[in-house]
Amino acid sequence: MQQAERKIGLFPLIGIIMSAIIGAGIFNLMKEMASTASVGVTIIGWIIAGVGMGSLAFCMESLIEKRPDLDAGIFSYAQAGFGDYIGFNSVWGYWLSVIIGNVAFGTLMFSALAYFFPIFGNGQNVPSIIGASIVLWLINYCITRGLEQATILNALVMIAKLVPIIIFIVCIIGAFHAQIFFHDFWGSIGSKAVPATGILTQLKGTVLSTMFVFIGVEGAVVFSARAKKRTDVGKATILGFGAVTLIYVLVTVFSYGLLTQSQLSKLPNPAMAYVLADIIGKPGAIIVNIGVIIAIFGAWMANTMLAEEVAYQAGKQQLFPKIFTKENKRGMPVNSTFITNLIVQGMLFSFFITDQAYSLFMKFSSATILLPYTCVVLFQLKTNYQTHVKLVSTDMLVGIIATLYMFWLIYASGAIYLVLTILSLVPGTLMYIYVRRKESVRVFKPYEVVIFVIALGVFTYGLWQMSAILKM
């Protein structure tokens, strides 16, 4: 196959971003937001998340233009800006986060199927794990058949899962009640308005929720080496982010015009099914549950593509072992895809051992994504400084806003998420040491030794506190 045939155009890149971002979470998002904040604070939360994550998207677009030589994914910015060890931790954290997210997709898909087939229970029993394993290797087969086929299938699935979401949006706008929407707009305790500290507490939880549902916005950047045109990567990032943001805002905010905050927060999963059922009856629940299944499959496939591509590119950059760089005759990284899915398979089997595994995996997945994102915005600031960008300029302003947003997220996450991140990253250092020695290059620079020693200390503390982490 010719190289040109393996390139991705603008719309498939947008499809990868939207499929990766819009998973099962959107179908429960109104409940998650309502359990944290009132409608007024939810709107503010979306504005902050939109500005913060939008700044991250614009940082990526800026770096794509200024550093066209860095096309190995978002970790290449960490590697170029802060050295090989930080670059490795960035790609390891990203790869691990996406893999763990895929484990969640497996259980969530069959939990949704249980609405139609009760045999699957909560998605963590034997029939569910067998079913998830079959889907896992079906996705593996589809991806290794070729990039063009995989992106076409991904686009079709994305369109299919947008249908129930669009139906939901049309229905909630049509059934919107202003009286319900504006009742208790800022949240209340009895008849008294929540004090400023209460609103800030709501906002803190809301901003965290909104950040994690945007994971996948970097999808086009991950595939930048395979894009038909370099400019398409930046366009896809901005357009994909804008489209998803609009969908998220409509789904969550207008739901407050159907049910009160208290009612939304108490809905079973998936909450969207019960909101739509309140408008059009049982068909609403059926439509949404079908949408959940399709959405999970699409997000699972898109995220598998991201995971295998980032591991493949890391192998080419000598951060992962060379085994990840092997391609099949269709130009697909077959070993990277297989190893990625093999790890997912192993994690699926862990549900036979303990029902705590899902909760722990999701905490690790959420924790490890902040490092790659933070490295992107810091590198954007560094690039601006090196290229003598004026302090008062759009590029510099975007970089500063994105940096402040990332540090705010780290602070808002709390110390426990820092510990979780270190627990996830430190074991990967063993692979980093192996690769460096295999390539006969120096393992650590002096400042990297300091970073590793500090991380090792936090890792030891995290192991000691593991029981507390499991309960959080």
Side-chain angles (χ1 to χ4, degrees):
M1 179 175 282
Q2 297 297 316
Q3 181 72 9
E5 296 178 37
R6 294 191 283 113
K7 295 294 184 178
I8 312 176
L10 175 62
F11 290 106
L13 286 170
I14 296 174
I16 290 172
I17 293 173
M18 294 186 67
S19 286
I21 296 177
I22 301 177
I26 190 172
F27 297 94
N28 217 39
L29 191 55
M30 65 289 295
K31 174 185 175 180
E32 296 298 325
M33 299 292 278
S35 64
T36 303
S38 62
V39 59
V41 178
T42 295
I43 293 170
I44 295 175
W46 279 121
I47 292 172
I48 294 174
V51 173
M53 293 303 294
S55 297
L56 172 64
F58 277 110
C59 282
M60 293 179 186
E61 183 189 40
S62 174
L63 289 171
I64 289 164
E65 179 182 343
K66 292 178 179 178
R67 294 299 304 270
D69 55 309
L70 302 177
D71 60 0
I74 62 172
F75 77 89
S76 61
Y77 302 138
Q79 184 181 17
F82 312 107
D84 289 341
Y85 185 51
I86 297 298
F88 170 81
N89 279 297
S90 179
V91 67
W92 174 263
Y94 183 83
W95 187 55
L96 197 62
S97 178
V98 177
I99 285 176
I100 295 171
N102 283 355
V103 178
F105 290 141
T107 59
L108 289 172
M109 172 179 283
F110 285 86
S111 177
L113 279 168
Y115 179 85
F116 305 102
F117 308 102
I119 188 175
F120 295 120
N122 66 351
Q124 296 186 48
N125 58 11
V126 174
S128 297
I129 294 172
I130 292 173
S133 299
I134 293 171
V135 175
L136 170 69
W137 295 107
L138 173 64
I139 289 174
N140 185 90
Y141 172 78
C142 291
I143 291 175
T144 54
R145 289 290 296 172
L147 188 61
E148 183 177 356
Q149 292 88 335
T151 52
I152 290 173
L153 177 59
N154 178 72
L156 292 174
V157 172
M158 181 196 70
I159 293 170
K161 72 180 177 181
L162 284 178
V163 171
I165 295 173
I166 292 171
I167 291 173
F168 177 80
I169 292 172
V170 171
C171 287
I172 60 173
I173 291 176
F176 182 82
H177 295 286
Q179 185 177 1
I180 297 175
F181 184 79
F182 289 104
H183 173 71
D184 204 18
F185 192 77
W186 295 108
S188 63
I189 300 174
S191 59
K192 296 180 180 179
V194 175
T197 52
I199 291 176
L200 290 175
T201 300
Q202 293 180 63
L203 186 59
K204 181 178 176 182
T206 301
V207 170
L208 285 173
S209 299
T210 53
M211 181 271 171
F212 291 126
V213 297
F214 279 115
I215 293 175
V217 69
E218 71 291 334
V221 179
V222 171
F223 278 92
S224 56
R226 298 179 183 269
K228 285 182 179 178
K229 294 192 296 183
R230 183 76 179 178
T231 54
D232 284 347
V233 178
K235 291 177 184 177
T237 300
I238 301 303
L239 291 173
F241 168 78
V244 170
T245 302
L246 178 62
I247 291 171
Y248 278 156
V249 171
L250 291 174
V251 165
T252 53
V253 173
F254 277 90
S255 291
Y256 285 94
L258 273 297
L259 300 172
T260 66
Q261 178 187 350
S262 176
Q263 291 172 326
L264 286 171
S265 66
K266 295 175 183 177
L267 289 175
N269 300 332
M272 184 185 287
Y274 295 89
V275 175
L276 192 57
D278 189 66
I279 303 172
I280 63 175
K282 188 175 180 180
I286 294 173
I287 290 170
V288 171
N289 276 284
I290 292 174
V292 170
I293 295 165
I294 297 172
I296 292 172
F297 180 81
W300 193 351
M301 183 170 180
N303 278 277
T304 301
M305 292 171 67
L306 294 180
E308 54 85 3
E309 180 67 16
V310 77
Y312 165 73
Q313 295 293 344
K316 291 179 67 175
Q317 296 295 318
Q318 298 181 345
L319 296 178
F320 276 22
K322 286 184 178 179
I323 189 173
F324 285 88
T325 63
K326 181 180 178 181
E327 298 181 350
N328 62 13
K329 62 182 180 180
R330 297 180 178 88
M332 296 301 293
V334 60
N335 281 355
S336 179
T337 307
F338 175 77
I339 294 170
T340 294
N341 287 327
L342 189 64
I343 296 172
V344 174
Q345 180 69 79
M347 289 183 173
L348 285 173
F349 285 144
S350 71
F351 292 116
F352 287 131
I353 303 171
T354 173
D355 58 3
Q356 291 284 335
Y358 174 82
S359 176
L360 181 61
F361 286 158
M362 286 307 296
K363 290 167 188 171
F364 278 122
S365 178
S366 298
T368 56
I369 199 67
L370 282 177
L371 176 63
Y373 286 171
T374 302
C375 287
V376 169
V377 299
L378 290 176
F379 183 64
Q380 197 262 8
L381 281 180
K382 182 178 179 179
T383 302
N384 286 342
Y385 175 77
Q386 291 174 334
T387 54
H388 306 291
V389 173
K390 294 180 180 179
L391 183 60
V392 183
S393 65
T394 302
D395 273 357
M396 191 63 78
L397 181 61
V398 165
I400 292 172
I401 292 173
T403 302
L404 291 174
Y405 181 66
M406 288 302 146
F407 281 115
W408 155 247
L409 285 172
I410 293 170
Y411 161 75
S413 298
I416 196 68
Y417 274 89
L418 175 62
V419 174
L420 279 170
T421 300
I422 299 299
L423 281 171
S424 305
L425 297 180
V426 168
T429 303
L430 295 175
M431 186 166 81
Y432 177 74
I433 293 172
Y434 166 79
V435 173
R436 301 293 284 183
R437 288 183 173 176
K438 190 78 172 177
E439 299 295 331
S440 300
V441 294
R442 186 177 181 178
V443 177
F444 293 120
K445 295 176 181 177
Y447 75 92
E448 292 174 336
V449 173
V450 175
I451 294 173
F452 176 65
V453 170
I454 294 173
L456 197 59
V458 178
F459 177 78
T460 304
Y461 171 79
L463 290 178
W464 180 52
Q465 293 290 320
M466 183 58 76
S467 60
I469 291 172
L470 284 170
K471 293 177 183 177
M472 79 172 225

